[in-house]
């Protein structure tokens, strides 16, 4: 699952592939935005943690990764 995180006053967004479901990611983001957690904490597919202060979140996009085409085909 692809997750894009926009951080205030940062020129680039954070993009990570997470093994968590969309519902799990949405719950963690909602808790961070509600003030229940001081940090948004997500783990990517390689086991690395991404921590973002909750007050610095600009947006979070939760989506499916795009399928990559491999090989040749005729049109």
């Amino acid at each position: 699952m692809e997750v894009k995180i926009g951080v205030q006053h940062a020129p680039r967004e954070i993009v990570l592939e997470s093994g968590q479901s969309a519902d799990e990611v949405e719950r963690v983001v909602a808790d961070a935005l509600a003030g229940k957690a001081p940090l948004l904490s997500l783990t990517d597919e390689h086991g690395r943690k991404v921590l973002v202060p909750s007050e610095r979140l600009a947006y979070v996009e939760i989506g499916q990764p795009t399928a990559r085409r491999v090989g040749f085909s005729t049109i």
Side-chain angles (χ1 to χ4, degrees), residues 2-56:
E2 184 179 68
V3 180
K4 293 181 182 179
I5 304 168
V7 181
Q8 295 176 4
H9 310 294
R12 295 175 49 167
E13 63 190 12
I14 300 169
V15 180
L16 65 114
E17 289 288 330
S18 177
Q20 298 171 304
S21 70
D23 292 334
E24 290 173 335
V25 173
E26 185 175 355
R27 181 181 44 80
V28 171
V29 171
D31 288 347
L33 291 175
K36 295 179 183 177
L39 294 173
L40 171 64
S41 175
L42 295 173
T43 305
D44 71 1
E45 289 181 334
H46 302 289
R48 296 177 291 211
K49 279 198 166 196
V50 176
L51 302 170
V52 179
S54 298
E55 69 271 0
R56 297 289 181 205

